[in-house]
Amino acid sequence: MERQIQRKPRILCLHGFRTSAEILKRQVLRWPAAVLDKLDLVFLDAPYPAQGKSGVERFFDPPYYEWFQATEDFTEYTNFEECLAFIEDNMMKSGPFDGFLGFSQGALLSAALPGMQRDGLALTRVPRIKFLIIISGAKFGGPKFAHHKLTSNAYSSPLECPSLHIIGETDFMKQESTSLLEYFVDPFVINHPKGHTIPELDEKSTEVMLGFIERIQKTMATADEQIYLNAET
């Protein structure tokens, strides 16, 4: 007999470079209650204190954090494996989680996680990622960011992980965000007129977001039903 899963999607939220969980939380919580009431959001600070000036100092107070470090041309990375282990440890402690929401550096990282998990290179001790919400995202191995050795095959085949991509018309990451779409099967997209930020959701964007939530609820129900059936056999 089909079982209906009523629980909210539990989402681990990864903030941008040299910002914080609190900053991302303040921005996301401006979304309509119709959206927020359907999600269980957990905001995580990155493991490393900012090693330089933050781009949000005029708008938000410190402390600021970063997930990993890179050379100026984004061809080499430091503390990347340690970052993955930190995220997985937190998922085991505070999970289980169904999906990720990532902004900027958090989005770059989130977008690569399903492929790395598929290949057994990351998040091997936690359940499969069921969906992503990517805000101002980009791709390792794309125009701006070189691959880390662990991401080199992350996009080798189309990612069937349901995804919602939020792209700013004046965002300096717009090209990278748009290019990322081709690596996901049937992505949902919200376009907004602003730049590198978490936008408020207008009526049209809210409809897209609610449609995406409906889709991931079905994905979760299918996955949870399979777990239930496996436990029965």
Side-chain angles (χ1 to χ4, degrees):
M1 181 173 65
E2 184 177 357
R3 302 169 69 242
Q4 295 298 319
I5 306 300
Q6 299 298 326
R7 64 184 181 85
K8 298 178 182 180
R10 187 165 174 82
I11 303 175
L12 187 60
C13 303
L14 308 185
H15 61 77
F17 183 61
R18 295 180 181 169
T19 65
S20 69
E22 179 61 27
I23 292 170
L24 179 61
K25 181 178 180 180
R26 288 172 60 182
Q27 294 177 299
V28 169
L29 292 187
R30 297 179 302 177
W31 288 353
V35 169
L36 296 175
D37 289 348
K38 294 181 180 293
L39 304 174
D40 180 7
L41 302 170
V42 177
F43 297 84
L44 179 66
D45 279 322
Y48 301 105
Q51 297 186 8
K53 184 177 176 63
S54 171
V56 301
E57 289 178 357
R58 292 183 299 160
F59 310 104
F60 299 101
D61 293 331
Y64 312 117
Y65 303 93
E66 51 198 54
W67 295 101
F68 55 88
Q69 295 81 41
T71 54
E72 188 173 350
D73 60 357
F74 300 104
T75 58
E76 297 181 19
Y77 302 97
T78 305
N79 289 320
F80 189 80
E81 294 94 335
E82 292 81 357
C83 169
L84 296 179
F86 173 82
I87 290 172
E88 186 169 33
D89 287 344
N90 277 274
M91 293 178 74
M92 294 182 69
K93 180 175 66 176
S94 303
F97 290 94
D98 299 296
F100 284 91
L101 179 153
F103 170 67
S104 194
Q105 189 185 41
L108 173 70
L109 186 57
S110 297
L113 287 172
M116 288 191 287
Q117 187 183 49
R118 175 199 64 211
D119 297 338
L121 300 175
L123 308 187
T124 59
R125 298 176 294 161
V126 296
R128 179 181 59 84
I129 299 167
K130 300 181 182 71
F131 62 87
L132 300 173
I133 299 174
I134 301 296
I135 309 169
S136 295
K139 164 184 180 291
F140 286 105
K144 186 175 180 64
F145 301 97
H147 272 301
H148 182 275
K149 63 182 180 181
L150 296 182
T151 71
S152 58
N153 292 315
Y155 300 98
S156 59
S157 60
L159 295 167
E160 297 185 3
C161 177
S163 61
L164 169 67
H165 303 254
I166 301 179
I167 302 173
E169 182 61 33
T170 60
D171 189 350
F172 66 88
M173 294 281 282
K174 179 184 177 182
Q175 178 183 348
E176 286 77 12
S177 297
T178 303
S179 298
L180 184 62
L181 297 176
E182 66 182 273
Y183 297 93
F184 288 85
V185 176
D186 298 327
F188 282 58
V189 181
I190 291 174
N191 294 291
H192 65 90
K194 296 186 178 181
H196 196 69
T197 187
I198 294 93
E200 297 185 33
L201 300 179
D202 59 18
E203 183 176 351
K204 180 179 179 181
S205 298
T206 298
E207 289 180 4
V208 175
M209 180 69 79
L210 291 174
F212 180 70
I213 293 172
E214 182 179 353
R215 177 179 175 182
I216 62 178
Q217 287 280 18
K218 293 177 181 177
T219 300
M220 289 168 50
T222 300
D224 289 352
E225 181 69 19
Q226 189 59 53
I227 291 173
Y228 173 80
L229 292 174
N230 289 342
E232 291 290 299
T233 58

